[in-house]
Amino acid sequence: MRLWSLHPRYLDTQGLVALWREALLAKAVLRGETRGYLHHPQLERFKAHPHPRSAMNSYLATIHGEALQRGYNFNRSKVGPVRKIPSIPVTSGQLAYEWQHLQRKLAMRSPDVLSHWAGVAVPDCHPLFRHRPGLIASWERASSGA
């Protein structure tokens, strides 16, 4: 499961569809509707939020909005109510790690998308998140080369 801290605009079609599915799975986990993925590290920051389900709805709403801009037909009813909620902090180290990770994926499966974003040195984060200085998140399963 990869719940990107990056804005979904950077994802290729395969990545955006996968993110939608994985965020819906995460929503099911937070609602207690599945027994799998209960302790997945990517969910820690959502579980720590004062309103985990609302945070996930906000996360999904941005993915849905990106899908609409691209002309995709993601089911809006799966998002749920979106309320004004506190943002989730994300560190510069985490964003840099994810940006490198995404660039490696795009190099293999969508070089044209990688080329489109070649001029981006510091990517935007998903609107649910608030950028702050810091290292890679403790929950990230970073490779030793990160």
Side-chain angles (χ1 to χ4, degrees), residues 65-130:
E66 179 63 26
L68 282 179
Q69 284 188 324
R70 296 185 191 193
Y72 305 156
N73 189 22
F74 289 11
N75 186 345
R76 173 63 176 90
S77 70
K78 294 184 181 270
V79 172
V82 177
R83 299 179 175 94
K84 186 171 173 65
I85 57 167
S87 59
I88 298 173
V90 62
T91 62
S92 53
Q94 182 63 32
L95 286 172
Y97 174 79
E98 289 185 23
W99 186 235
Q100 291 173 353
H101 183 60
L102 178 60
Q103 288 177 319
R104 285 190 302 272
K105 286 180 169 290
L106 294 175
M108 291 181 2
R109 69 178 187 227
S110 298
D112 55 326
V113 175
L114 176 63
S115 176
H116 178 78
W117 298 115
V120 176
V122 179
D124 294 330
C125 58
H126 184 290
L128 174 62
F129 299 105
R130 178 184 74 255

